Amino acid sequence: MIPSVLPTYNRAPLNFVKGEGSWLVEADGRRFLDFGSGIAVNALGHGHPALVDALTTQAQALWHVSNLYQIPQQQALADKLVAETFADTVFFTNSGTEACELAVKMARKYHYEAGQPERVEIITFDGSFHGRSSAGIAAAGSEKMTKGFGPLLPGFVHLPWNDQEAVAAAIDEKTAAILLEPVQGEGGIKPMPDQDLKALRALCDAQGILLILDEVQCGVGRTGRLFAHEWAGITPDIMMVAKGIGGGFPLGAVLATEAAAAGMTVGTHGSTYGGNPLGCAVGNAVMNIVAAPEFLAEINRKAGLLRQKLEGLVAAHPEVFEEVRGSGLMLGLKCKALNADVVKAGYAAEIITVPAADNVIRLLPALTITEAELDEAVTRLDAAATAVAAG
Ligand SMILES: *Cc1c(COP(=O)(O)O)cnc(C)c1O
């Protein structure tokens, strides 16, 4: 008999009942160090007082009014994002997938309004992840995500990850945009090198096409800058944001330049819940903390420490780990052992990590992690690796 919850998830037998900062408490009382953060969602850890206060204060006042009316919390968050980024304008969604939908629509509408309606194709890359909607799976294109779900949304061109020549050769009169994650998350923590991101930006400018960045996982302070593309000194035309921006409350956004958004006039897009007062109250609280230069500097300091400790861990367990990679507090351990076995051994050692493609385990601690917790994490990962090596 089919389970009452549609069985699309492979769940670990863990039942968390409370979160406190970087810690998750299991129903049986065990305390797990959370190096997954709900896949980079709980950016400020669990139960951050500023977020709890923002949500509960808003919940006492007003939950929902519809985008038919003014939503001051939404206006304030849009103003903040515009002030802190390349963007001139913001549309709020409830998820990264919905942000992907709008990014695709916006890019096509841009060329349509510019008198080039044939420019509909979006170049994407192997290993990418843009959500599970029809556009999202067509964008990623992997057999794992698309098999049996055809006909797929047309208009996506899939290229090998980081092959600049292939990109240059693929652009033609039908190309609308290039879409990529500056650091691939699900694909196995693969950063696009700065010089290659710069080259893609230059290519887009030369060809009159748009650069869309998916910063759903790598954005909102995760890499030590507010958004990951800032490391390369470039800006996108359109950017997808979600996960960390809501700190655990469902919230996403599409940020865009005025030019890229030119086609999105009244009535061309909408959402019932997107940008509702609850989500935006929390989003404002997240941005107030994460966008502060001192907070970002602290992320970089801790990221340096963690990376150094992880290099030591890899050196100590060459039969389990191959390398450390990633950026800031978005790190991956490429495994020699089966990554699922390492994640499982982590559970036994009471540390949460997240598997990714390419036999990687992801380390995505809360951005508020303490130095003592970093040490504790490496101790627990060491115990997990020892157990894996012992078979
Ligand atoms: C998680 C993720 C998405 C999808 O976001 P949802 O909120 O699950 O819809 C899209 N892109 C990237 C890079 C992601 O990590």
Side-chain angles (χ1 to χ4, degrees):
M1 207 168 68
I2 192 167
S4 57
V5 174
L6 190 73
T8 60
Y9 298 109
N10 180 16
R11 295 179 200 271
L14 291 169
N15 185 14
F16 298 118
V17 292
K18 191 166 172 51
E20 297 164 353
S22 293
W23 297 86
L24 281 168
V25 184
E26 225 274 349
D28 63 10
R30 281 179 298 162
R31 291 174 62 84
F32 288 72
L33 191 47
D34 186 5
F35 264 52
S37 301
I39 317 187
V41 166
N42 303 105
L44 298 177
H46 301 278
H48 192 292
L51 272 54
V52 172
D53 182 56
L55 183 63
T56 51
T57 302
Q58 186 59 48
Q60 299 291 341
L62 183 64
W63 287 30
H64 178 80
V65 291
S66 159
N67 283 303
L68 291 169
Y69 312 104
Q70 306 296 317
I71 302 179
Q73 298 79 11
Q74 185 183 129
Q75 182 64 52
L77 183 52
D79 289 345
K80 272 195 192 88
L81 287 166
V82 165
E84 296 286 349
T85 70
F86 73 96
D88 302 312
T89 189
V90 183
F91 182 93
F92 292 101
T93 67
N94 309 288
S95 68
T97 303
E98 290 164 82
C100 177
E101 294 293 318
L102 174 56
V104 168
K105 284 176 68 175
M106 187 184 282
R108 289 178 173 173
K109 193 70 165 17
Y110 166 83
H111 292 291
Y112 179 88
E113 296 292 344
Q116 294 192 292
E118 68 285 357
R119 286 200 181 272
V120 298
E121 287 185 354
I122 297 177
I123 292 173
T124 62
F125 299 96
D126 293 347
S128 63
F129 183 79
H130 304 296
R132 297 294 197 132
S133 64
S134 294
I137 62 174
S142 70
E143 178 168 325
K144 185 179 160 221
M145 269 184 277
T146 58
K147 198 175 175 192
F149 295 119
L152 296 178
L153 185 68
F156 294 94
V157 176
H158 305 104
L159 299 179
W161 175 245
N162 201 13
D163 180 342
Q164 298 285 332
E165 281 170 29
V167 180
I171 294 174
D172 62 19
E173 68 292 341
K174 291 198 299 256
T175 309
I178 298 173
L179 162 60
L180 75 149
E181 302 155 73
V183 184
Q184 282 193 344
E186 305 301 310
I189 310 291
K190 292 185 180 167
M192 175 71 67
D194 290 349
Q195 70 271 18
D196 296 311
L197 203 49
K198 273 200 179 95
L200 289 177
R201 175 72 270 178
L203 199 56
C204 287
D205 290 341
Q207 300 281 348
I209 62 176
L210 301 177
L211 181 64
I212 307 173
L213 294 180
D214 180 345
E215 294 226 16
V216 168
Q217 196 162 146
C218 63
V220 193
R222 183 52 53 190
T223 68
R225 302 293 285 265
L226 187 54
F227 290 101
H229 65 263
E230 295 171 27
W231 288 112
I234 59 118
T235 59
D237 301 292
I238 300 173
M239 178 168 72
M240 297 146 56
V241 177
K243 293 199 166 95
I245 188 75
F249 197 92
L251 179 64
V254 173
L255 279 63
T257 63
E258 183 170 11
M264 302 308 296
T265 51
V266 171
T268 55
H269 199 64
S271 168
T272 295
Y273 295 117
N276 91 5
L278 293 171
C280 288
V282 178
N284 277 301
V286 170
M287 277 295 290
N288 283 342
I289 293 168
V290 176
E294 320 81 69
F295 188 82
L296 292 167
E298 193 52 16
I299 294 171
N300 285 302
R301 191 183 66 81
K302 291 183 293 193
L305 288 174
L306 178 58
R307 183 139 198 156
Q308 209 173 12
K309 292 177 206 291
L310 292 174
E311 299 286 0
L313 181 76
V314 170
H317 297 279
E319 69 292 1
V320 178
F321 300 120
E322 200 171 309
E323 63 161 349
V324 187
R325 62 197 198 200
S327 176
L329 291 176
M330 183 174 184
L331 295 172
L333 288 170
K334 165 98 174 152
C335 297
K336 278 189 192 148
L338 201 61
N339 63 346
D341 290 345
V342 180
V343 170
K344 215 169 156 191
Y347 296 154
E350 297 175 6
I351 180 164
I352 303 295
T353 62
V354 184
D358 201 28
N359 206 34
V360 162
I361 67 166
R362 274 176 280 184
L363 305 178
L364 304 163
L367 306 179
T368 50
I369 191 97
T370 66
E371 244 179 273
E373 287 163 346
L374 292 180
D375 285 332
E376 184 59 35
V378 176
T379 301
R380 292 180 185 211
L381 288 171
D382 186 73
T386 302
V388 169

